Structures are given as C-alpha cells and as structure tokens.
C-alpha cells in the first residue's frame, strides 16, 4: 500500500459556477482525503511558474489568462496511489474523451476550461505542493 500526496486545483470555470463542493464530494467519494485547501487568485507570475513546462506551447497564453481570470481552490489530496487515482477521478484532459462519472465528463466546458488540475507524477506533485503550501498547512 503506497500512501501518496497529489496536488489539485479547482479551476476558474468551476469556482465561477460554484462547483467547489460538488467536486470535493467526488474527490472524497473516491477515497481521497483533502489534507490542505485554500482559495487563491493566482497572479500572472504564479500561473506562468506553475505551468512552466507548457511555456511556448500554442495554448500557453490562453492557459495563463484563464487560470488568473478568477479565484481557484488549491488542494493537497492524500490516499492510496493518490496521483493515479485522482487522474482517474478527473478524467481525460478533453472532456469529450472523459469517462462517465469523472469530474471532467460531468463539469468541464472544454479542453481548456476543464475544471480541475492534478499532478502527473511524484516529482511534479512535490514541486507543485511546495509552490502553494508550507509544511504546517498540510494536516494529514
Ligand atoms: P492538468 O495538468 O491541468 O491536470 P492535464 O495533465 O490533463 O491537465 P496538460 O496536457 O498538462 O493536461 O495541460 C495542462 C492544461 O492546459 C490542461 O488541463 C488544459 O487546461 C490546458 N490545455 C491543454 N491542452 C490544451 C489545448 N489544446 N487547448 C487549450 N488548453 C489546453
Ligand atoms: Mg498536466
């Protein structure tokens, strides 16, 4: 049994539509624990740092502008195989390809406005968590 932590963002399209609670319910129903959570309005610099790996891609400017357009909820989720488990719960990046019952199938508007972010590996999870939370803000 591997207990992991992953980093999650409830994105502006979801906070705008008051879906924080509905998304949290899906996270918890999947057995993941929300061990840290706060609502923030990202600055351009913070969003560019966070999505640095996508710098130069055609959708980068649109992504940064979307992520800074309204508040988001940043979270740390904990559980067995949390990284892969949360990506399953989120569904495919493009909601048109997402499985039934996933967050993106149910709530996402488009490939860009796709309601949630989740880390894709242990190393990125560590880096992403450290950008937004100090150790004593995470209570497992
Ligand atoms: P996330 O990293 O947000 O969990 P992901 O790993 O499924 O999602 P990535 O390929 O890492 O997707 O892309 C990061 C984000 O950039 C996507 O979630 C989406 O919001 C945006 N994005 C990706 N591809 C496109 C695209 N073709 N057009 C517009 N936005 C895109
Ligand atoms: Mg990604």
């Amino acid at each position: 049994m591997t207990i992991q932590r992953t980093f999650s963002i409830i994105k502006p399209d979801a906070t705008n539509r008051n879906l924080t609670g509905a998304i949290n319910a899906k996270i918890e129903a999947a057995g993941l624990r929300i061990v840290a959570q706060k609502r923030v309005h990202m600055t351009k610099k913070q969003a560019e740092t966070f999505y640095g790996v996508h710098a130069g891609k055609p959708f980068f400017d649109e992504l940064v502008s979307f992520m800074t357009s309204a508040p988001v909820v940043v979270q740390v989720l904990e559980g067995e195989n949390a990284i892969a488990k949360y990506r399953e719960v989120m569904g495919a990046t493009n909601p048109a390809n997402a499985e039934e019952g996933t967050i993106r199938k149910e709530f996402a508007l488009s490939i860009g406005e796709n309601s949630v972010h989740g880390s894709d590996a242990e190393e990125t999870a560590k880096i992403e968590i450290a950008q937004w939370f100090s150790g004593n803000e995470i209570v497992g």
Side-chain angles (χ1 to χ4, degrees):
M1 191 164 101
T2 320
I3 297 294
Q4 279 180 332
R5 285 178 175 173
T6 191
F7 179 74
S8 160
I9 305 176
I10 300 177
K11 295 184 177 183
D13 67 284
T15 61
N16 278 337
R17 288 175 291 148
N18 224 13
L19 292 171
T20 300
I23 290 172
N24 280 351
K26 282 197 174 285
I27 290 170
E28 293 185 335
L32 293 165
R33 304 181 75 82
I34 301 165
V35 295
Q37 172 171 266
K38 62 190 170 191
R39 186 170 165 104
V40 299
H41 196 141
M42 283 193 186
T43 64
K44 185 163 183 274
K45 203 167 178 186
Q46 287 171 331
E48 285 172 348
T49 299
F50 184 77
Y51 282 116
V53 63
H54 296 301
K57 292 190 186 165
F59 59 84
F60 183 68
D61 290 351
E62 178 189 328
L63 177 60
V64 168
S65 143
F66 167 58
M67 291 301 290
T68 56
S69 66
V72 299
V73 176
V74 293
Q75 307 175 307
V76 180
L77 311 181
E78 186 177 86
E80 201 174 328
N81 294 315
I83 295 169
K85 167 88 67 74
Y86 188 44
R87 290 189 71 85
E88 246 178 69
V89 173
M90 292 195 302
T93 309
N94 185 345
N97 303 328
E99 299 278 339
E100 280 308 321
T102 61
I103 292 171
R104 283 168 168 166
K105 176 74 180 182
E106 202 157 317
F107 302 122
L109 300 175
S110 64
I111 189 169
E113 301 198 11
N114 62 0
S115 304
V116 281
H117 162 85
S119 307
D120 57 14
E122 276 198 61
E123 196 47 41
T124 42
K126 274 207 184 82
I127 294 167
E128 292 174 359
I129 289 169
Q131 186 184 347
W132 293 101
F133 292 98
S134 64
N136 64 9
E137 289 178 306
I138 305 167
V139 184

